[in-house]
Amino acid sequence: MTSYITSFDQLPLALNAEHVAQALGLSRSGAYALVRSEGFPTIQVGKRLTVPKEQFIAWIAEHAGTVAK
């Protein structure tokens, strides 16, 4: 069973691809592709890519209502 995040309050301070997938309702591979895409707010910690919670929320707000081309 896939769990979904229903509130920003449920997010940790630093998200991984699994958290991004749950929050956006994406597949795991879709979340990894998004996290690795240019312009997505990630920071690299060693070999891991993490997404700061506040930057993730800002990214969502910035891209809400836009259609990918």
Side-chain angles (χ1 to χ4, degrees):
M1 181 172 142
T2 303
S3 62
Y4 294 97
I5 294 173
T6 58
S7 167
F8 290 137
D9 294 334
Q10 293 174 296
L11 295 171
L13 291 176
L15 291 72
N16 59 27
E18 287 291 325
H19 296 126
V20 171
Q22 291 171 358
L24 298 177
L26 298 174
S27 68
R28 187 174 164 168
S29 62
Y32 277 103
L34 180 60
V35 167
R36 290 184 178 112
S37 68
E38 186 176 332
F40 196 75
T42 57
I43 57 172
Q44 188 165 353
V45 179
K47 292 184 177 184
R48 297 183 65 183
L49 291 176
T50 60
V51 184
K53 176 181 178 175
E54 296 303 321
Q55 290 182 4
F56 178 66
I57 294 169
W59 182 89
I60 290 173
E62 181 182 328
H63 291 86
T66 61
V67 177
K69 295 180 182 181

